[in-house]
Amino acid sequence: MTDHAAVLADFTCTQETFEGKTRDVYRMGSGPAVVVIHEMPGLTTEVADFGRRVAAAGFTAVLPVLFGEPGRPLSVGYTATSILPGCVSKEFAALATGRTSAITTWLRALAAKVHDECGGPGVGAVGMCFTGGFALAMMVDDRVLAPVLSQPSLPLALTKKHRADVGISDADLARVKERVADGTCVLGLRFTGDKMVPAARFETLRSELGDGFIAVEIDSSPGNPYGIKRIAHSVLTNDFVDEPGHPTRDALDQVLAFFADRLTPAA
């Protein structure tokens, strides 16, 4: 175990192989599964803390390692060295519009497996930043009942078209809309001043999904009452403030309540 991975010692680590690709997967807790898809630059201590909160709420937190070094602390340099490989990887549709990232096929297979293992009505999924929209793409599988898009940043907001795009293909979006029509909801989180997650992206989700899209938009404008920085980005991790009444704490509580409503056997 490396020094970085030691901070994840309270998790169980296994290896899972789907689509010919083997990845480490960290787990904690019991109950219905929630797949936590880490953000750039990797499975940091902040993402692990979110996984612990999911487990403490009565779920099996499942954290696959898609890139980076598990447990390595967040830093500017670490993030910088992770972004370029992610942008050029064939697994991630970082620049293309109207395209689903290939990695989501692997994630759907993982969700199917952990659903079989953990039981319950279905699976939750949380994507963050670079992976934020992956939870939406996972909805094409009926097992995914509680998708959360936390600051979904792909495709990168390069043009007006990119800013409005939600990061999945037309065919997958059509299937998502069918799921929403049948009662599945999508929860989305963003800070209002976050240029990586443009307001236009959430407007597209509202337009396409109607009342099936639940938007949580936290004020990060200058002079906001909580002193949230204009550059705030990561709602549930790096910019999370664990104080009652703080908007990010309220967002976390809403995410956990969403899982409870959708994934508990009585739901």
Side-chain angles (χ1 to χ4, degrees), residues 10 12 22 27 35 44 65 77-78 100 110 120 178 181 185 189 192 196-197 207 218 220 235 241 251 259:
D10 50 338
T12 299
T22 300
R27 303 187 191 201
V35 179
T44 62
V65 178
Y78 182 25
T100 299
L110 174 64
E178 290 176 353
C185 291
L189 316 174
T192 58
M196 294 181 64
V197 191
S207 174
I218 299 173
S220 59
V235 176
V241 177
F259 292 150

Side-chain angles (χ1 to χ4, degrees), residues 37-130:
I37 317 166
H38 64 75
E39 57 200 321
M40 284 287 181
L43 205 176
T44 62
T45 52
E46 291 84 0
V47 176
D49 284 344
F50 172 72
R52 293 182 179 101
R53 293 181 177 102
V54 170
F59 305 98
T60 302
V62 180
L63 287 69
V65 178
L66 303 190
F67 41 78
E69 183 179 346
R72 181 175 174 179
L74 176 71
S75 69
V76 174
Y78 182 25
T79 302
T81 58
S82 301
I83 290 176
L84 182 58
C87 288
V88 300
S89 171
K90 293 181 180 179
E91 291 189 296
F92 307 107
L95 304 176
T97 59
R99 179 178 160 194
T100 299
S101 291
I103 186 67
T104 57
T105 302
W106 192 96
L107 291 167
R108 289 197 299 267
L110 174 64
K113 185 174 188 293
V114 296
H115 180 233
D116 288 342
E117 294 170 349
C118 299
V123 176
V126 186
M128 304 176 180
C129 179
F130 203 78

Side-chain angles (χ1 to χ4, degrees), residues 77-188:
Y78 182 25
T79 302
T81 58
S82 301
I83 290 176
L84 182 58
C87 288
V88 300
S89 171
K90 293 181 180 179
E91 291 189 296
F92 307 107
L95 304 176
T97 59
R99 179 178 160 194
T100 299
S101 291
I103 186 67
T104 57
T105 302
W106 192 96
L107 291 167
R108 289 197 299 267
L110 174 64
K113 185 174 188 293
V114 296
H115 180 233
D116 288 342
E117 294 170 349
C118 299
V123 176
V126 186
M128 304 176 180
C129 179
F130 203 78
T131 71
F134 293 0
L136 187 69
M138 290 173 70
M139 274 184 71
V140 301
D141 189 318
D142 290 349
R143 300 174 185 86
V144 178
L145 298 182
V148 177
L149 285 56
S150 190
Q151 71 273 1
S153 305
L154 294 189
L156 299 178
L158 302 176
T159 68
K160 182 177 180 180
K161 184 177 181 180
H162 284 82
R163 289 191 287 273
D165 196 89
V166 296
I168 60 176
S169 68
D170 290 344
D172 285 349
L173 179 58
R175 177 61 188 140
V176 167
K177 293 170 73 171
E178 290 176 353
R179 297 280 322 277
V180 168
D182 289 337
T184 304
C185 291
V186 179
L187 180 60

